[in-house]
Structure formats: structure tokens, C-alpha cells
Amino acid sequence: MKIDKKFKLREIAGETIIVNQGDMGADLTKIISLNSTSRFLYEQLSNKDFTLEDVEKLLKDNYEVDDETVRKDAADWIEQLKKCKILAE
């Protein structure tokens, strides 16, 4: 899977958000805000193909968290990207 190139990170009023730069018909009533961990993953995985295991490895290598939590958090992060249609087809 891959993060769609039309989505870019922006810093607005101290918050990190994702902006859809490629869709003129985008619903601008929806804001996608990222916490520091989500931003880290987004920055590390932008512009490359990645797997669930890649997300798990990044979490495991950079945060003190048990394997069960890593698996759940990685799957949840990917599911949220899918839900927001941020992953490229």
C-alpha cells in the first residue's frame, strides 16, 4: 500500500493536518488531524510502498510498547488511512 501523493502534511495553528491538494471537489468540512505518532508514521512512510509489518516495525523500534499493542495500533492506523481514503489504489 502507499499514501496517495495528493495528500500533504501541513502545520496550522500548532496542529498537524492532512490536506488534499489534488481534488477540487474535496469535502472541506472534514479535517484530518494527526497526533505526533501518526505524523511520525506518515512522514516515514510517505512516497514509498509499505506493509502492515513496516508500520509495526517503526512503532516497535521507536516506542516502548508491547507486541500486542503494536499490532493493534499499526492495524488501526492503516484502517484510519483507508477510511479517510488517503491510501492510493
Side-chain angles (χ1 to χ4, degrees), residues 4-88:
D4 194 321
K5 291 180 181 184
K6 68 183 174 189
F7 291 94
K8 303 295 181 195
L9 287 183
R10 295 291 179 254
E11 189 85 23
I12 297 177
E15 295 290 324
T16 301
I17 65 168
I18 297 174
V19 176
N20 180 347
Q21 292 188 267
D23 189 355
M24 294 301 289
D27 181 356
L28 298 177
T29 63
K30 296 179 183 171
I31 302 284
I32 303 166
S33 179
L34 302 179
N35 66 19
S36 61
T37 302
S38 290
R39 179 183 180 150
F40 168 74
L41 292 172
Y42 193 100
E43 288 173 336
Q44 294 298 307
L45 297 169
S46 288
N47 301 316
K48 62 176 90 169
D49 287 317
F50 63 92
T51 64
L52 173 63
E53 291 76 19
D54 295 327
V55 178
E56 290 174 352
K57 181 170 178 17
L58 282 169
L59 290 172
K60 189 70 173 171
D61 290 351
N62 291 280
Y63 299 93
E64 292 183 26
V65 63
D66 62 86
D67 291 341
E68 182 179 337
T69 302
V70 163
R71 282 190 295 276
K72 180 187 177 313
D73 288 353
D76 288 348
W77 186 76
I78 288 171
E79 190 57 37
Q80 289 302 312
L81 292 182
K82 288 179 181 177
K83 183 179 174 184
C84 294
K85 300 180 179 157
I86 293 172
L87 294 179

